[in-house]
Amino acid sequence: MGAAALGNPRVRAALRLPSAVARALGVLASLWWTLAWMGVTAAILVHGLATGAMDARWLALPCGGLFVNLAAALATNGKLRRQPGLLVFHVGLAVLALTAAGGRLTALTGSVEVTQGGAFDPALVNAKAGPLHPWGLGKVTFVQGPFRIDYDAGLQRRHTNSTVFVPTAGGGWDEVTVGDDRPLKMFGYRFYTTPNKGFALLLTHIGADGQRRTGAVHLPSYPMHDYKQANSWTMPDGPELELWLDLPAPVATPEQPWSFRVPDDATLVVGLGARRYELKPGQEMRIGDARLRYEELRAWMGYTVFFDPTLPWLAAAVLVACAGLGWHAVVKIRAVAGDADA
Amino acid sequence: MLEDWTLLGAIALYALAAVMALAEARRGRALPVPAVIGLALVVHAVSIALRWQRLGHGPYVDMFEVLSSNVWSLHAVTLAGVLLIPRLRGLLAAVLPVLQILVVWLLTVEAQDTLFPVTYDTLWLPVHVLLGKVFLGVTVVAVGGSVVILLRRWAGTGFAALPSTKLLDEINFRLVLLAFVFECLMLAAGAVWAQDAWGRYWNWDPLETWAFLTWLAVAGYLHLRVTRKPPPEVSALAILAIFVVAFGTFFGMPFVSVAPHKGMI
């Protein structure tokens, strides 16, 4: 039984729909409720703006209210049903809101840094996910290749071209170029480059037993934090080390165009307590029974990770809703244009 | 520089059109106001095109560019409105003086060369901007109708050449409905742009929140107008309120917010 039929008095009578239910639907369908729920929505938005802490979850309340209001209106308001454009717009909006809500429940947004020459590690993704997110990040595999970022004078970042290598079914690797507006798409996840990128110290720890472990320590984003290219790292079996990069000449030149690159003249300075050690790529130092080898300086790229399976459905709902509204507007404007010209 | 001189010439022509529109309304004798606006638009378009060619990007980045392009688009939509519905020509006397506020503001803003953020380098930006300009332009025409309704009610000004207050109120309702269509499309195009540029289609940043508040204000007016049929003066005040919110969203938030809309580098 469609909502349209429910609004028909004869159908209601045939169904013996209690008049109390009909009255309740009539009350719920009131456009005063529409205005009231819109007011609640506006109040939540203004509160979010005023406090600077917008929590969109609160919008579920007025959206739910508007959804009930619309459903009741569809059941009881013949005038709404007789205007197909308006009907399509409202149903489209309801579908849009429901789809967006579904999207929030399954979505994931996050960020991750990947070292050049290293593989993407899902465990390093700093993610915020909805409760129904299917967690398929473990299936994503790619290796970070080189990237190029040009800057105009004034530190204006131009396009980012980040090369990543994606495994193929045949056991090979495909080369894919990723950018701010050209995501890497794998298993529903989208990886977008960001302004966040910098230098990575590739270090090898050689334990007393001779076991070698190589890893990267990422320095803060460059050129955003060009004045503090430092980080700390605690050795597996030893003390915390202060690491910073001594750049004889800055890579970034704010006054003129430049390209992001890994400097070849940088020196790693290792702070251990009050002592300082300087290492060039390939050099190592002894710390207790272990050794620390500075392999080389690399780059790391920061990505935004996004997952929302509802994107195409959202786009479809928006298109349908806008088409309905446009149709309704054309009908209404045609009706009054003749009067105005008369 | 030709770019500056053409801009000044266009500003002078806009001012002339506004004065002529007021004179036309006062004397009741037709003056070539649409022709002067048309000429101003052509001259202004030359100025915008020269700047576009020189900088290599459209007028979207700083306050000067946004103001300049909006002065052009608001006059263009107003002119289109009165050409499509000739009986609304009298609205020019109400709309053009309001637009001169923007023109004067434009004169006070320094025209600096701007750098085009990489996140703006997408087809969706001009689509988003164009739809927004039509939304605001149609709203401005409705504002003109509202000003006339309020002047008739409170100042006793006639605007005899214009339709009755009742019909103007109906036309205003339809104009806001049309503006709403373009606002919905603008938000949709903006969401596609945001997904491309920042990896999310909506993030409730201050500008997005204000844009949604504007959407709510328009939707609220349309519902109020359909169900309660308030007196024309109340509707007119509601439209002015919508314009204030939309104006703040267009000309306020993009320049105080540090959100990505400002062009994150």
Side-chain angles (χ1 to χ4, degrees):
Chain A
M1 180 63 62
L6 197 62
N8 187 322
R10 288 182 184 171
V11 175
R12 278 212 312 269
L15 285 173
R16 296 185 186 284
L17 193 67
S19 59
V21 173
R23 273 203 304 277
L25 279 176
V27 170
L28 287 171
S30 166
L31 273 155
W32 283 117
W33 278 114
T34 316
L35 292 170
W37 287 121
M38 283 179 175
V40 172
T41 308
I44 291 169
L45 296 179
V46 169
H47 177 264
L49 283 169
T51 59
M54 180 69 200
D55 189 346
R57 284 175 299 185
W58 285 103
L59 292 176
L61 175 71
C63 283
L66 285 166
F67 188 77
V68 170
N69 177 240
L70 175 61
L74 287 172
T76 59
N77 189 339
K79 202 174 170 186
L80 173 61
R81 293 193 304 270
R82 283 193 297 275
Q83 302 181 79
L86 198 59
L87 182 64
V88 167
F89 173 64
H90 280 92
V91 173
L93 269 191
V95 171
L96 178 68
L98 285 174
T99 310
R104 289 300 87 198
L105 292 174
T106 53
L108 176 142
T109 52
S111 59
V112 66
E113 298 172 3
V114 189
T115 313
Q116 186 181 341
F120 162 71
D121 183 352
L124 297 180
V125 176
N126 180 17
K128 203 165 96 176
L132 302 181
H133 180 67
W135 288 108
L137 265 176
K139 291 185 273 186
V140 175
T141 310
F142 69 88
V143 172
Q144 177 65 52
F147 55 85
R148 180 182 177 88
I149 308 166
D150 293 330
Y151 279 79
D152 282 344
L155 289 179
Q156 282 280 326
R157 187 171 62 96
R158 308 315 304 164
H159 286 284
T160 296
N161 292 299
S162 173
T163 304
V164 297
F165 298 97
V166 178
T168 62
W173 294 88
D174 265 348
E175 190 177 312
V176 180
T177 302
V178 183
D180 287 9
D181 53 356
R182 284 173 297 167
L184 168 69
K185 296 179 189 173
M186 292 185 82
F187 301 101
Y189 292 92
R190 292 163 178 248
F191 292 79
Y192 298 85
T193 57
T194 66
N196 204 26
K197 77 281 170 192
F199 306 123
L201 305 164
L202 195 69
L203 304 173
T204 297
H205 174 263
I206 306 160
D209 55 357
Q211 190 183 359
R212 301 170 74 95
R213 278 176 283 194
T214 301
V217 176
H218 290 187
L219 298 174
S221 184
Y222 190 90
M224 188 179 288
H225 300 293
D226 62 344
Y227 55 94
K228 53 171 185 181
Q229 288 299 298
N231 207 340
S232 59
W233 176 60
T234 304
M235 291 174 63
D237 53 358
E240 184 181 72
L241 305 178
E242 296 297 326
L243 308 170
W244 66 92
L245 202 61
D246 179 23
L247 293 165
V251 175
T253 52
E255 304 80 18
Q256 54 193 2
W258 62 285
S259 295
F260 182 89
R261 63 177 172 82
V262 175
D264 51 15
D265 56 353
T267 303
L268 168 62
V269 181
V270 181
L272 179 60
R275 288 171 293 169
R276 298 284 179 272
Y277 303 89
E278 290 193 356
L279 297 178
K280 288 285 188 184
Q283 292 183 328
E284 61 181 51
M285 59 180 282
R286 181 166 288 281
I287 302 169
D289 294 333
R291 285 178 291 148
L292 179 71
R293 180 179 166 85
Y294 172 38
E295 301 287 356
E296 61 176 321
L297 187 63
R298 291 189 180 179
W300 60 265
M301 171 54 72
Y303 290 93
T304 291
V305 190
F306 182 86
F307 177 94
D308 188 339
T310 63
L311 279 185
W313 302 104
L314 283 172
V318 165
L319 282 176
V320 169
C322 287
L325 184 64
W327 179 9
H328 180 68
V330 167
V331 170
K332 288 285 177 187
I333 288 164
R334 272 189 182 161
V336 81
D339 294 342
D341 278 335
Chain B
M1 211 157 49
L2 184 61
E3 185 185 308
D4 299 330
W5 284 109
T6 45
L7 179 64
L8 288 173
I11 287 172
L13 287 167
Y14 288 135
L16 177 64
V19 171
M20 287 170 70
L22 287 170
E24 186 179 84
R26 193 178 175 85
R27 294 180 189 171
R29 198 176 59 188
L31 295 169
V33 183
V36 175
I37 299 174
L39 183 61
L41 288 172
V42 171
V43 174
H44 193 175
V46 170
S47 173
I48 290 173
L50 287 170
R51 182 178 170 86
W52 192 324
Q53 188 186 32
R54 184 169 59 81
L55 297 180
H57 64 77
Y60 324 117
V61 180
D62 71 350
M63 182 59 95
F64 173 80
E65 291 176 354
V66 171
L67 265 176
S68 177
S69 59
N70 273 290
V71 164
W72 189 92
S73 62
L74 293 177
H75 278 91
V77 174
T78 305
L79 180 63
V82 298
L83 291 179
L84 287 171
I85 309 175
R87 274 200 69 189
L88 293 186
R89 178 170 168 155
L91 284 186
L92 290 173
V95 175
L96 294 187
V98 174
L99 294 186
Q100 298 321 295
I101 297 169
L102 281 182
V103 174
V104 171
W105 187 6
L106 175 61
L107 277 170
T108 66
V109 178
E110 193 180 349
Q112 293 176 320
D113 288 358
T114 49
L115 294 164
F116 198 57
V118 69
T119 47
Y120 284 22
D121 192 7
T122 163
L123 177 67
W124 287 103
L125 174 64
V127 172
H128 172 67
V129 168
L130 187 67
L131 291 165
K133 287 187 187 311
V134 178
F135 157 65
L136 199 64
V138 177
T139 305
V140 160
V141 179
V143 165
S146 300
V147 169
V148 169
I149 289 170
L150 294 176
L151 285 175
R152 278 176 174 169
R153 175 74 176 80
W154 290 328
T157 312
F159 288 96
L162 281 168
S164 67
T165 293
K166 187 165 175 279
L167 184 54
L168 261 187
D169 186 42
E170 282 295 326
I171 292 169
N172 267 356
F173 168 61
R174 266 64 175 184
L175 285 171
V176 175
L177 181 60
L178 181 65
F180 193 52
V181 176
F182 284 99
E183 192 187 16
C184 290
L185 291 169
M186 174 191 71
L187 292 180
V192 177
W193 169 36
Q195 182 68 46
D196 267 359
W198 302 293
R200 86 294 185 284
Y201 61 87
W202 194 273
N203 201 38
W204 297 110
D205 74 32
L207 183 53
E208 288 168 352
T209 306
W210 271 103
F212 191 64
L213 275 171
T214 308
W215 187 91
L216 270 179
V218 178
Y221 160 77
L222 292 172
H223 281 91
L224 185 73
R225 178 65 178 66
V226 167
T227 55
R228 297 298 137 190
K229 294 220 178 341
E233 296 79 17
V234 174
S235 281
L237 286 171
I239 290 171
L240 291 181
I242 288 169
F243 179 68
V244 168
V245 177
F247 192 86
T249 304
F250 271 71
F251 297 102
M253 288 317 296
F255 302 100
V256 297
S257 164
V258 292
H261 269 93
K262 203 175 178 183
M264 186 168 58
I265 60 170

